[in-house]
Amino acid sequence: MFPTLIGTVVLAGIVGYLSEKTRFTHNGILQSIIICIGGAFLFYFVRLMFGFGFASPGLNAIAASVGALIIVPTHWRK
């Protein structure tokens, strides 16, 4: 359980960093990483409590991170 949690945080941080470097978001690197980690934590604990999600914990982390970046915009685009 603990290695899965650490892997979730690492994957979420990588997704946040890459989303900012590829200009998918315009939040700032630190803000995107924080948003991704928050979304991944939320989805991780929902997976523990209710048992639904994808089969792979890594795929759960990536999907939750991208979903959090789409749902939580912090900078309005023109």
Side-chain angles (χ1 to χ4, degrees):
M1 185 162 103
F2 186 69
T4 305
L5 184 62
I6 296 300
T8 298
V9 170
V10 170
L11 281 175
I14 291 170
V15 169
Y17 179 77
L18 290 177
S19 69
E20 201 56 44
K21 285 298 181 180
T22 59
R23 303 221 183 251
F24 179 69
T25 59
H26 301 308
N27 301 326
I29 293 174
L30 184 62
Q31 291 87 347
S32 290
I33 291 173
I34 290 171
I35 291 168
C36 284
I37 290 174
F41 267 135
L42 178 67
F43 198 74
Y44 175 77
F45 289 118
V46 165
R47 167 87 173 153
L48 281 179
M49 288 189 293
F50 301 113
F52 59 87
F54 300 111
S56 168
L59 191 57
N60 283 338
I62 293 170
S65 298
V66 172
L69 282 175
I70 292 171
I71 291 173
V72 183
T74 59
H75 183 76
W76 294 99
R77 295 184 185 178
K78 292 182 181 181

